[in-house]
């Protein structure tokens, strides 16, 4: 194991203003959930995203759980979801007792294939089981094709929930990621493009939807001097201190998107011409935030597998990671239905997420490139 400091996949990168906001929160003694920083963070995020109503929550998974609850998802419902995603995107479907059905990606964007979505909607409608919702993931910071998905769903009155956990700062047809669905969930977990250490947010055009989401996130208390409950809620609110970090991070976001995109371009310039190496494509309809740089390795052409590269980097204390293992391949979902699957299976087989920290030094970058090239032996 190398003695050099570990290079992480996507470590937090503070912008400088975070501590000022945290100090302000301390000075006002709002060391609690609920407080002016939470409202400030929600307002800042609404301004950034153009989605007017926002509820700051404890995680992206919590945001999706509340989204499922608000859409009335219940036991036995069918909810269609991206197969190529992180578990937090789909576990909230199961929290409601509903059944996820997984949709493959398309080659051009790696996001949910609108044609397969249409097949699934038609099949389930024909069976008299109209899907109750669709949860689509914006993979690795690239927006899914919301309009194409919506054109299938609107005809059938099926709401689109956008899992924009990875796409903060990305755009779709000039609009911020997440805008254009019934609601959108964002994550500020420690490895995301901006972080509050841990946190999430639910955003929607509909004010009542978000007012009720906030209420659900704070144990669904009725207005009364004592604790009165007619419904069961959750303890999912973001704390004031965490929101203070988020306000600082939002200031740094445009710079982070620039840095992530520049790092992606640097990887492409250094490796893109090697035999068997390709990178995640960018759809013409938007600008990805390039949260993670993802490379595809054709083992035959490159003469090394993505796993060989991952292990070579790991021996030098450098973190890289396979592409998400598709949900339809997960043991926990072995009984779930799925549409297609071969596209995300091959992305899982060939993909490697490269170190994508925005504070990475040129020396670290050069070391990573040399190690990757070294895996191909003396052919390169
Ligand atoms: C990170 C992530 C989540 C979950 O967010 P948390 O804040 O970690 O709960 C959900 N979906 C996707 C696609 C993610 O990458």
């Amino acid at each position: 194991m190398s003695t050099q400091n570990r290079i992480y996949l996507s470590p937090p990168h503070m912008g400088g203003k975070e501590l000022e906001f945290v100090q302000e929160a301390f000075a006002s003694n709002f060391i609690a959930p609920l407080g002016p920083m939470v409202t400030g963070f929600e307002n800042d995020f609404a301004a950034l995203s153009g989605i007017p109503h926002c509820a700051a929550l404890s995680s992206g998974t919590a945001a999706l759980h509340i989204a499922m609850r608000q859409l009335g998802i219940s036991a036995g419902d069918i909810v269609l979801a991206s197969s190529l995603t992180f578990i937090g995107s789909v576990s909230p479907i199961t929290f409601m007792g509903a059944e996820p059905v997984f949709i493959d990606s398309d080659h051009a964007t790696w996001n949910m294939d609108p044609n397969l979505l249409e097949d699934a909607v038609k099949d389930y409608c024909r069976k008299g089981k109209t899907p109750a919702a669709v949860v689509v993931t914006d993979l690795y910071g690239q927006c899914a094709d919301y309009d194409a998905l919506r054109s299938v769903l609107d005809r059938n009155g099926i709401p689109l929930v956008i899992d924009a956990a990875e796409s903060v700062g990305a755009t779709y047809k000039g609009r911020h990621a997440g805008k254009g669905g019934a609601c959108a969930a964002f994550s500020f977990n420690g490895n995301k493009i901006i972080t509050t250490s841990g946190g999430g947010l639910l955003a929607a055009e509909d004010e009542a939807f978000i007012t009720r989401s906030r209420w659900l996130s704070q144990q669904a208390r009725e207005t009364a001097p004592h604790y009165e409950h007619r419904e069961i809620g959750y303890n999912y609110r973001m704390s004031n201190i965490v929101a203070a970090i988020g306000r600082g991070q939002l200031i740094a976001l445009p710079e982070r998107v620039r840095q992530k995109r520049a790092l992606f371009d640097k990887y492409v310039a250094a490796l893109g011409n090697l035999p068997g190496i390709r990178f995640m494509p960018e759809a013409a309809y938007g600008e990805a935030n390039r949260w993670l740089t993802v490379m595809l390795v054709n083992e035959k052409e490159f003469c090394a597998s993505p796993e060989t590269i991952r292990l070579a980097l790991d021996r030098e204390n450098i973190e890289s990671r396979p592409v998400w293992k598709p949900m339809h391949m997960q043991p926990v979902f072995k009984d779930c239905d799925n549409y297609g699957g071969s596209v995300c299976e091959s992305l899982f087989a060939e993909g490697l997420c490269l170190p994508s920290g925005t504070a990475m030094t040129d020396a670290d970058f050069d070391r990573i490139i040399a190690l990757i090239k070294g895996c191909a032996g003396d052919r390169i």
Side-chain angles (χ1 to χ4, degrees):
M1 187 64 83
S2 159
T3 52
Q4 281 169 289
N5 285 341
R6 187 157 175 81
I7 301 176
Y8 289 98
L9 194 66
S10 184
H13 185 179
M14 292 299 112
K17 295 278 182 217
E18 292 82 2
L19 258 184
E20 288 175 31
F21 283 107
V22 171
Q23 272 157 356
E24 197 181 318
F26 265 73
S28 64
N29 206 33
F30 274 109
I31 316 293
L34 257 195
M37 285 296 165
V38 176
T39 308
F41 181 61
E42 289 174 345
N43 292 341
D44 292 351
F45 202 84
L48 166 82
S49 65
I51 311 176
H53 304 288
C54 297
L57 302 170
S58 53
S59 72
T61 309
L64 287 162
H65 190 186
I66 292 197
M68 293 294 103
R69 170 79 180 263
Q70 288 275 55
L71 293 171
I73 307 304
S74 54
D77 281 349
I78 296 291
V79 177
L80 309 177
S82 304
S83 185
L84 192 57
T85 191
F86 173 64
I87 187 74
S89 188
V90 294
S91 49
I93 299 168
T94 71
F95 298 168
M96 310 310 293
E99 204 182 305
V101 170
F102 300 112
I103 313 286
D104 200 359
S105 302
D106 70 24
H107 277 293
T109 67
W110 299 11
N111 280 314
M112 186 186 282
D113 182 336
N115 293 315
L116 287 175
L117 177 70
E118 183 162 24
D119 292 349
V121 168
K122 277 188 182 152
D123 282 355
Y124 276 93
C125 287
R126 202 180 301 123
K127 286 190 247 177
K129 282 214 65 111
T130 303
V134 172
V135 182
V136 66
T137 294
D138 292 341
L139 194 73
Y140 296 125
Q142 167 152 276
C143 295
D145 192 350
Y146 307 149
D147 288 351
L149 300 170
R150 281 282 300 269
S151 79
V152 177
L153 301 181
D154 290 358
R155 276 180 264 145
N156 297 281
I158 302 168
L160 179 67
V161 176
I162 301 172
D163 179 352
E166 301 176 3
S167 58
V168 176
T171 62
Y172 176 78
K173 298 185 180 173
R175 305 190 292 269
H176 189 273
K179 191 169 171 72
C183 59
F186 299 90
S187 168
F188 312 106
N189 192 30
N191 60 356
K192 298 298 200 294
I193 188 164
I194 56 167
T195 179
T196 58
S197 71
L201 182 140
L202 185 62
E205 304 290 330
D206 178 2
E207 182 169 13
F209 186 100
I210 293 302
T211 305
R212 199 180 134 82
S213 295
R214 283 197 198 101
W215 177 77
L216 282 171
S217 77
Q218 291 171 285
Q219 307 286 22
R221 264 185 80 183
E222 302 294 336
T223 347
H226 58 274
Y227 283 83
E228 177 85 5
H229 300 282
R230 293 171 197 277
E231 281 187 64
I232 297 294
Y234 312 93
N235 181 7
Y236 278 172
R237 195 70 165 133
M238 181 181 276
S239 89
N240 202 53
I241 296 295
V242 160
I245 301 172
R247 295 193 76 185
Q249 284 275 277
L250 281 179
I251 294 171
L253 177 64
E255 178 66 4
R256 293 292 170 271
V257 174
R258 264 196 302 280
Q259 290 166 321
K260 290 272 191 189
R261 290 182 62 84
L263 182 60
F264 177 91
D265 291 344
K266 237 170 111 174
Y267 273 119
V268 173
L271 301 169
N273 290 326
L274 302 182
I277 298 291
R278 283 175 299 146
F279 285 85
M280 182 175 180
E282 184 168 39
Y285 54 61
E287 190 181 72
N289 70 16
R290 297 298 191 189
W291 167 53
L292 297 181
T293 289
V294 192
M295 175 172 89
L296 294 180
V297 184
N298 181 306
E299 185 175 351
K300 277 208 190 76
E301 291 172 27
F302 189 67
C303 294
S305 69
E307 181 61 5
T308 304
I309 299 172
R310 190 188 72 76
L311 291 170
L313 292 171
D314 190 57
R315 275 193 296 276
E316 292 296 316
N317 211 7
I318 298 168
E319 185 183 31
S320 63
R321 197 175 289 161
V323 161
W324 299 127
K325 180 174 181 177
M327 291 299 126
H328 75 274
M329 296 171 74
Q330 297 288 355
V332 72
F333 294 128
K334 66 182 189 313
D335 297 327
C336 294
D337 196 5
N338 63 289
Y339 282 76
S342 60
V343 175
C344 59
E345 283 167 27
S346 73
L347 293 173
F348 174 56
E350 295 197 337
L352 190 66
C353 302
L354 297 173
S356 302
T358 41
M360 196 195 301
T361 64
D362 287 345
D364 283 345
F365 179 81
D366 293 344
R367 217 152 57 82
I368 293 164
I369 297 302
L371 285 163
I372 294 173
K373 285 184 171 172
C375 292
D378 45 17
R379 294 173 50 258
I380 288 166

